[in-house]
């Protein structure tokens, strides 16, 4: 049974979502501020498989909480952000959130996002080593190596890189990447893939000058290209 942690200061919403997700077979815990959420992560016995994290919380807000937890943990994180706050959504993705959903949200939509993230982060969910130059991807272990040194990626970043690497040299449109990496359809004005690509570019370049690069084709999508020998 997968364990879900909901971190939101809206106690009524937490209770509603927790009840719904428990009926769907999840073990659900709640926290009402960032400090409490981090304490649950630090405790191995209470550590969830996925975190639902609200942006606006008293004290340490969701973005500050995300920044700290990403220094140590790779678990999938779905950000909750109020409508009219697109900047918070982009910042959340830049800090390492795997996906976001606007509040108020339908429990069924959140459930679909949760299942997509858990499916894509399940050990051994996909197999077959992928190589491109100095890049080596081990899907079964969800590990990315450049020059045999591990590159720390979130679940969404790994899935995105894997999707591009499996189609190296081919243009992959954003709608396809959204389905493969995030497990959902591309939404209007959705910048999630763009932000994940930006983070991936930085991590690959930082790992090695010989790492593959991700080229953008304006208005069409992205292509992963091996570095010139």
């Amino acid at each position: 049974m997968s364990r879900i942690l909901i971190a939101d200061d809206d106690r009524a919403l937490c209770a509603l979502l927790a009840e719904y997700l428990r009926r769907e077979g999840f073990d659900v815990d709640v926290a009402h501020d960032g400090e409490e959420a981090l304490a649950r992560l630090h405790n191995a016995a209470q550590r969830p498989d996925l975190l639902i994290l609200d942006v606006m919380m008293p004290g340490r807000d969701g973005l500050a909480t995300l920044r700290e937890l990403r220094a140590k943990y790779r678990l999938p994180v779905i950000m909750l952000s109020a409508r009219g706050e697109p900047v918070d959504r982009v910042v959340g993705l830049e800090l390492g959130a795997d996906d976001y959903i606007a509040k108020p949200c339908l429990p069924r939509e959140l459930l679909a996002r949760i299942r997509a993230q858990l499916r894509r982060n399940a050990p051994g969910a996909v197999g077959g080593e992928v190589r491109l130059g100095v890049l080596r991807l081990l899907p079964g272990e969800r590990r990315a190596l450049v020059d045999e040194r591990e590159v720390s990626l979130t679940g969404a970043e790994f899935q995105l890189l894997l999707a591009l690497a499996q189609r190296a040299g081919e243009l992959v449109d954003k709608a396809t990447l959204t389905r493969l990496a995030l497990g959902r359809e591309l939404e209007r004005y959705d910048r999630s893939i763009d932000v994940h690509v930006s983070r991936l570019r930085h991590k690959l370049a930082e790992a090695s000058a010989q790492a593959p690069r991700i080229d953008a084709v304006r208005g069409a999508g992205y292509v992963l290209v091996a570095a010139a020998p």
Side-chain angles (χ1 to χ4, degrees):
M1 180 185 296
S2 296
R3 175 177 289 175
I4 308 296
L5 174 61
I6 304 171
D8 194 316
D9 63 318
D10 186 335
R11 294 174 183 267
L13 178 62
C14 281
L16 173 68
L17 293 178
E19 180 182 1
Y20 178 82
L21 293 174
R22 285 175 184 135
R23 290 201 305 267
E24 294 295 329
F26 294 101
D27 181 6
V28 184
D29 201 358
V30 299
H32 300 301
D33 59 54
E35 293 290 350
E36 187 179 0
L38 288 171
R40 302 290 173 84
L41 292 177
H42 296 334
N43 185 335
Q46 295 182 310
R47 192 170 301 152
D49 299 298
L50 180 143
L51 172 63
I52 300 167
L53 182 63
D54 184 34
V55 171
M56 299 299 293
M57 291 189 293
R60 187 193 298 269
D61 67 13
L63 297 177
T65 302
L66 178 63
R67 182 183 292 108
E68 181 165 337
L69 74 86
R70 271 296 176 241
K72 292 184 63 177
Y73 307 110
R74 297 188 186 181
L75 82 163
V77 176
I78 299 175
M79 298 292 293
L80 293 177
S81 91
R83 293 187 187 279
E85 297 177 347
V87 172
D88 283 339
R89 300 182 196 178
V90 172
V91 172
L93 291 169
E94 289 175 341
L95 291 175
D98 294 275
D99 203 358
Y100 67 78
I101 187 168
K103 294 170 67 176
C105 63
L106 294 174
R108 287 181 62 184
E109 182 180 358
L110 179 60
L111 174 63
R113 301 286 183 96
I114 290 169
R115 285 177 170 164
Q117 289 299 327
L118 290 175
R119 185 167 57 248
R120 282 155 178 75
N121 283 274
V126 287
E129 179 177 311
V130 179
R131 286 180 177 266
L132 183 63
V134 298
L135 173 67
R136 186 158 69 100
L137 300 178
L138 306 173
E141 302 173 35
R142 308 198 65 77
R143 298 175 63 207
L145 300 105
V146 172
D147 280 333
E148 295 306 309
R149 294 189 297 272
E150 187 156 3
V151 181
S152 179
L153 302 178
T154 66
E157 290 165 356
F158 182 86
Q159 285 298 135
L160 175 57
L161 183 56
L162 178 63
L164 289 168
Q166 289 173 330
R167 299 158 180 80
E170 301 176 15
L171 173 66
V172 189
D173 62 80
K174 292 182 184 179
T176 299
L177 291 173
T178 301
R179 285 193 297 272
L180 293 173
L182 303 180
R184 60 173 175 81
E185 296 303 314
L186 180 67
E187 300 172 353
R188 193 177 184 185
Y189 306 124
D190 192 342
R191 291 191 56 202
S192 301
I193 291 299
D194 300 319
V195 178
H196 288 313
V197 165
S198 177
R199 285 173 55 85
L200 269 176
R201 282 172 168 161
H202 175 76
K203 290 182 177 183
L204 291 173
E206 192 174 60
S208 171
Q210 297 305 309
R213 70 178 190 274
I214 303 174
D215 289 346
V217 178
R218 188 174 180 83
Y222 294 98
V223 56
L224 186 68
V225 180

